[in-house]
């Protein structure tokens, strides 16, 4: 198991890869990919029981990237873990590439195609119930955006999770407080997400979503609970690049040459 | 009337500007979006008229049902977001509230067709015409250039009842002058001809124009129709084209099931059964890639429309 420090460095390197990919693609979502860099790194390095050489292994843990627009972060992580060759990363969004703008199941390591927001918790619920029906013990992890939580379906899923209480289910909310059109306060205030989740009769845990040690400890605690759990990970959209942090403009803006150079310099200054 | 000068703008930008331009004339208009105002360009209206704009967050079903409530008091709500979300995520609200009650709500479906090319199939809308045209009381408009986008936005606001306006993310030319006739339900015959008729809508209308130019250069007499209203379809214009030219090619950025081609084919099959070749996505999803490339994979290129027209003409002369 890598140390928390090592994972911290891996997450920062992940941001550099994401930046390269989005620059080469000429489009893609940078802000929301940066905000979940530590979350994905800790999940894949410490928690997900998967076999990159056997992506269809039936007893693997499942992962659903409900905020499918963070595809570059997922792709770069899957490549690092060996699901496919890293050279594919620069084909993101290119004609014929399996690295579509949003994840598709035909790519090794993708357990559900996503892109239309607000469905991941429900999908994860179904997967968690499937493990129960089949008498298997693998786990399900779902990563959601916080803007995504505007969608009513999430609350239907929480309602159903509280009914069946699958203990093998963990959701993580990338709580960066910014959505596409602006800060959530101006678009759709989500208030106290943890309290809302708990009001459904589910456990909510909070942590700093950029601190790998905190993420690891909180995930461990969530897994230890004998019921579904939701982690609210406090993050910063565009984390790591001063002019992108907290800016909805960098939700999906193309990375031009100038921004690329400036952002890369900042990401390289911190290893 | 086509114009010579070449003005090019993203259709979404023209739509946003038009909403602002019409705000005074339609004081009852209010605009809603679902956290996509910077994409669909309703942001322009939000900035100019903040008290008449509602950002509903990423909650399309809630947005459309709230629009129904707004309209029930006499306001004219324009609900905007990605086309696939309006027609599917909010589909039941559109059916049960807007269409069933014939409410005066306007739906602006942005990023339609393959125009959200880089995001891939998850965001592309290739079935919205099928959904919307199947709803009783719904009017369905598909503008093709800068002028039609402006005129369609105005026509939608003037019309009483639910309207679906299909918009593109793509850059479009100014093909038509301001005196371009835009009447809901009346297709526009751009040029006359007797060998074959091309009928197109939206961005594909420009592609059909290129194909028509090439076919004419080859010595063929090509009738070209810009069908900006898919519903109610200009059945008379279509039937006349069938009768007088004997072969039809439809061109659209949509699944060939349930779109313009299907509507045209069903308009002619009883009275004037002529060959109708439908160019568009052949019942498959799109993908990420450069816009021109994924359009071409769906048959939407000048060359392929030319070939389709030649095939349609050849079919006239063989015993079927
Ligand atoms: C159902 C749906 N509505 C709208 C969109 C367009 N969209 C893509 S990302 C996004 C904002 C997402 O915000 P959030 O969930 O907070 O993601 P993050 O800030 O982590 O990137 C929107 C509105 C979509 N993909 N799906």
């Amino acid at each position: 198991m890598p140390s928390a420090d090592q994972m911290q460095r891996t997450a920062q390197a992940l941001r550099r890869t994401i930046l390269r990919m989005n620059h080469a693609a000429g489009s893609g979502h940078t802000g929301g990919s940066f905000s979940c860099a530590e979350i994905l790194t800790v999940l894949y390095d410490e928690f997900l029981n998967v076999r990159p050489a056997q992506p269809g292994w039936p007893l693997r843990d499942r992962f659903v990237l409900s905020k499918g627009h963070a595809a570059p972060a997922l792709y770069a992580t899957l490549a690092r873990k060996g699901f496919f060759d890293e050279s594919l990363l620069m084909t993101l969004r290119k004609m014929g590439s399996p690295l579509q703008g949003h994840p598709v199941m035909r790519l090794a390591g993708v357990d559900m195609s996503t892109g239309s927001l607000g469905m991941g918790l429900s999908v994860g619920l179904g997967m968690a119930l499937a493990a129960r029906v089949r008498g298997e013990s693998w786990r399900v992890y779902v990563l959601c955006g916080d803007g995504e939580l505007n969608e009513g379906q999430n609350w239907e899923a929480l309602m159903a999770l509280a009914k069946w209480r699958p203990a093998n289910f963990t959701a993580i909310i990338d709580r960066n407080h910014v959505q596409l059109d602006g800060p959530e306060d101006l678009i759709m205030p989500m208030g106290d997400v943890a309290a809302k989740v708990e009001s459904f009769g589910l456990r909510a845990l909070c942590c700093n979503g950029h601190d790998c040690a905190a993420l690891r400890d909180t995930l461990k605690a969530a897994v230890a609970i004998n019921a579904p759990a939701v982690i609210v990970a406090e993050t910063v959209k565009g984390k790591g690049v001063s002019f992108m942090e907290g800016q909805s403009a960098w939700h999906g803006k193309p990375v031009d040459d100038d921004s690329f150079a400036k952002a890369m310099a900042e990401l390289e200054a911190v290893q | 009337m086509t114009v010579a000068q070449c003005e090019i703008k993203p259709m979404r930008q023209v739509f946003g500007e038009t909403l602002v331009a019409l705000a005074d004339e339609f004081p009852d208009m209010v605009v809603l979006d679902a956290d996509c105002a910077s994409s669909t360009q309703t942001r322009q209206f939000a900035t100019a008229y903040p008290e008449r704009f509602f950002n509903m967050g990423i909650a399309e079903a809630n947005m459309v049902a709230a629009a129904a409530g707004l309209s029930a008091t006499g306001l004219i709500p324009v609900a905007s977001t990605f086309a696939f979300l309006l027609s599917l995520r909010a589909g039941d609200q559109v059916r049960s509230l807007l269409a069933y009650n014939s409410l005066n709500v306007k739906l602006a479906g942005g990023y339609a067709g393959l125009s959200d090319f880089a995001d891939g199939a998850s965001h592309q809308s290739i079935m919205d015409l099928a959904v919307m045209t199947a709803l009783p009381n719904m009017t369905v408009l598909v503008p093709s250039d800068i002028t039609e986008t402006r005129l369609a936005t105005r026509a939608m606001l003037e019309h009483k009842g639910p309207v679906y306006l299909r918009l593109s993310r793509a850059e479009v030319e100014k093909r038509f002058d301001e005196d371009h006739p835009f009447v809901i339900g009346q297709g526009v015959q751009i040029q006359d001809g007797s060998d074959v008729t091309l009928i197109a809508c939206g961005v594909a209308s420009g592609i059909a124009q290129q194909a028509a130019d090439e076919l004419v250069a080859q010595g063929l007499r090509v009738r070209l129709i810009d069908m900006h209203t898919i519903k109610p379809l200009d059945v008379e214009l279509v039937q006349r084209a069938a009768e007088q030219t004997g072969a039809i090619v439809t061109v659209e950025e949509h699944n060939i099931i349930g779109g313009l081609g299907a509507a045209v084919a069903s308009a002619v099959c009883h009275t004037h059964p002529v060959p109708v070749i439908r160019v568009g996505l052949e019942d498959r999803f799109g993908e990420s890639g450069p816009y021109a490339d994924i359009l071409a994979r769906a048959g939407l290129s000048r060359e392929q429309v030319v070939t389709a027209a030649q095939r349609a003409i050849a079919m006239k002369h063989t015993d079927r």
Side-chain angles (χ1 to χ4, degrees):
Chain A
M1 291 285 164
S3 69
D5 278 352
Q6 275 170 319
M7 289 193 289
Q8 213 70 52
R9 284 192 293 277
T10 303
Q12 185 71 355
L14 171 57
R15 288 195 177 88
R16 290 191 286 270
T17 308
I18 293 164
L19 189 73
R20 271 186 220 106
M21 291 167 69
N22 286 354
H23 179 237
S27 66
H29 299 83
T30 306
S33 295
F34 282 4
S35 68
C36 63
E38 281 81 13
I39 298 169
L40 281 173
T41 301
V42 174
L43 272 175
Y44 274 88
D45 280 4
E46 280 236 9
F47 289 88
L48 283 171
N49 184 23
V50 291
R51 296 178 177 169
Q54 193 191 348
W57 177 41
L59 298 182
R60 71 187 181 282
D61 286 346
R62 287 349 190 241
F63 175 65
V64 179
L65 181 68
S66 190
K67 45 172 281 183
H69 57 280
L74 177 64
Y75 296 155
T77 302
L78 290 175
R80 180 175 65 83
K81 298 309 272 187
F83 280 90
F84 48 83
D85 199 87
E86 298 210 329
S87 62
L88 260 189
L89 293 178
M90 291 303 144
T91 69
L92 173 67
R93 293 174 168 242
K94 299 257 156 68
M95 195 76 183
S97 171
L99 274 57
Q100 293 288 297
H102 293 75
V104 287
M105 290 175 80
R106 75 181 146 99
L107 180 67
V110 175
D111 290 323
M112 185 54 70
S113 304
T114 50
S116 188
L117 294 168
M119 305 186 188
L121 292 181
S122 307
V123 171
L125 165 70
M127 289 172 166
L129 291 178
R132 178 186 290 183
V133 169
R134 303 164 73 98
E136 296 165 358
S137 60
W138 44 270
R139 300 190 56 85
V140 184
Y141 296 86
V142 181
L143 176 57
C144 298
D146 55 354
E148 184 182 7
L149 293 183
N150 298 170
E151 207 66 75
Q153 183 177 342
N154 294 289
W155 309 96
E156 298 177 21
L158 291 176
M159 185 170 75
L161 282 161
K163 175 178 179 184
W164 282 292
R165 308 192 74 73
N168 56 342
F169 179 98
T170 307
I172 304 166
I173 312 298
D174 180 351
R175 186 84 176 100
N176 62 29
H177 300 269
V178 177
Q179 35 199 123
L180 187 155
D181 274 338
E184 63 158 327
D185 292 343
L186 296 180
I187 308 305
M188 189 52 66
M190 291 311 295
D192 188 340
V193 170
K196 284 191 164 88
V197 169
E198 298 222 312
S199 76
F200 278 74
L202 295 165
R203 284 290 302 278
L205 308 170
C206 299
C207 72
N208 177 343
H210 295 308
D211 178 340
C212 289
L215 276 169
R216 183 190 54 203
D217 294 347
T218 311
L219 273 159
K220 272 192 187 147
V223 169
I225 297 171
N226 194 26
V230 177
I231 296 175
V232 181
E234 282 293 335
T235 57
V236 175
K237 195 152 174 166
K239 172 74 176 173
V241 175
S242 58
F243 59 90
M244 294 182 177
E245 288 192 356
Q247 299 301 316
S248 62
W250 280 100
H251 171 78
K253 189 156 105 175
V255 181
D256 59 28
D257 294 345
D258 188 44
S259 312
F260 174 76
K262 286 186 181 136
M264 190 54 89
E266 289 193 26
L267 292 173
E268 274 170 349
V270 180
Q271 284 295 317
Chain B
M1 184 66 100
T2 50
V3 282
Q5 82 264 31
C6 206
E7 187 186 346
I8 293 186
K9 268 190 190 180
M11 187 186 276
R12 54 176 172 155
Q13 188 187 326
V14 178
F15 171 66
E17 290 166 3
T18 307
L19 286 180
V20 173
L22 295 176
D24 287 342
E25 201 178 322
F26 295 91
D28 289 335
M29 168 171 55
V30 291
V31 178
L32 302 87
D33 209 307
D35 196 25
C36 290
S38 20
S39 306
T40 62
Q41 289 296 311
T42 58
R43 181 173 58 181
Q44 297 184 42
F45 187 89
T47 307
Y49 297 92
E51 70 292 348
R52 287 164 66 183
F53 178 81
F54 302 95
N55 199 321
M56 303 296 287
I58 309 169
E60 298 77 14
N62 188 48
M63 171 175 74
V64 169
L70 286 159
S71 83
T73 72
L75 294 180
I76 309 176
V78 178
S80 154
T81 187
F82 284 51
F84 80 93
L85 292 166
L86 278 180
S87 44
L88 296 179
R89 187 69 71 100
D92 189 17
Q93 286 73 10
V94 172
R95 181 200 76 121
S96 303
L97 301 172
L98 314 192
Y100 185 40
N101 300 306
S102 203
L103 294 181
N104 199 22
V105 175
K106 316 304 168 185
L107 299 168
Y111 284 41
L114 300 170
S115 67
D116 194 10
F117 52 92
D119 276 335
S122 66
H123 285 56
Q124 294 161 359
S125 190
I126 58 161
M127 38 21 73
D128 49 320
L129 295 179
V131 173
M132 293 295 178
T133 55
L135 294 169
N137 299 327
M138 186 64 74
T139 293
V140 179
L141 305 179
V142 188
S144 71
D145 81 326
I146 292 176
T147 303
E148 277 195 355
T149 302
R150 290 185 188 133
L151 296 174
T153 305
R154 163 183 288 282
M156 148 182 112
L157 292 167
E158 284 170 347
H159 180 83
K160 265 226 157 323
V163 177
Y164 177 65
L165 176 66
R166 187 186 214 228
L167 296 165
S168 176
R169 182 183 186 277
E171 294 194 327
V172 287
E173 289 179 17
K174 181 167 175 172
R175 293 169 63 207
F176 305 115
D177 262 334
E178 302 301 336
D179 64 358
H180 180 66
F182 190 100
V183 180
I184 289 177
Q186 290 183 16
V188 180
Q189 185 166 310
I190 295 174
Q191 65 190 52
D192 198 6
S194 52
D195 290 329
V196 63
T197 303
L198 306 186
I199 306 179
C201 62
V203 168
S205 183
I207 298 170
Q209 174 82 63
Q210 293 170 15
D213 291 348
E214 178 162 332
L215 289 160
V216 168
Q218 291 174 9
L220 289 161
R221 287 156 299 186
V222 181
R223 184 173 297 188
L224 178 64
I225 293 173
D226 174 71
M227 196 62 89
H228 54 64
T229 307
I230 311 301
K231 190 185 174 187
L233 187 73
D234 192 341
V235 173
E236 213 181 296
L237 185 66
V238 172
Q239 289 182 344
R240 207 181 319 132
E243 193 177 5
Q244 296 175 352
T245 71
I248 294 176
V249 176
T250 60
V251 195
E252 65 189 314
E253 214 179 333
H254 191 273
N255 195 341
I256 57 166
I257 297 175
L260 171 69
V264 165
S266 57
V268 300
C269 65
H270 292 298
T271 50
H272 305 87
V274 298
V276 177
I277 294 184
R278 293 166 297 157
V279 177
L281 282 126
E282 297 195 350
D283 203 21
R284 59 168 189 81
F285 282 99
E287 67 211 282
S288 293
Y291 191 36
D293 293 358
I294 58 172
L295 282 175
R297 276 196 83 168
L300 295 164
S301 66
R302 178 174 46 91
E303 299 80 5
Q304 292 173 96
V305 175
V306 164
T307 307
Q310 289 162 339
R311 260 177 55 218
I313 293 168
M315 284 168 79
K316 289 207 288 191
H317 306 302
T318 52
D319 284 335
R320 278 172 289 124

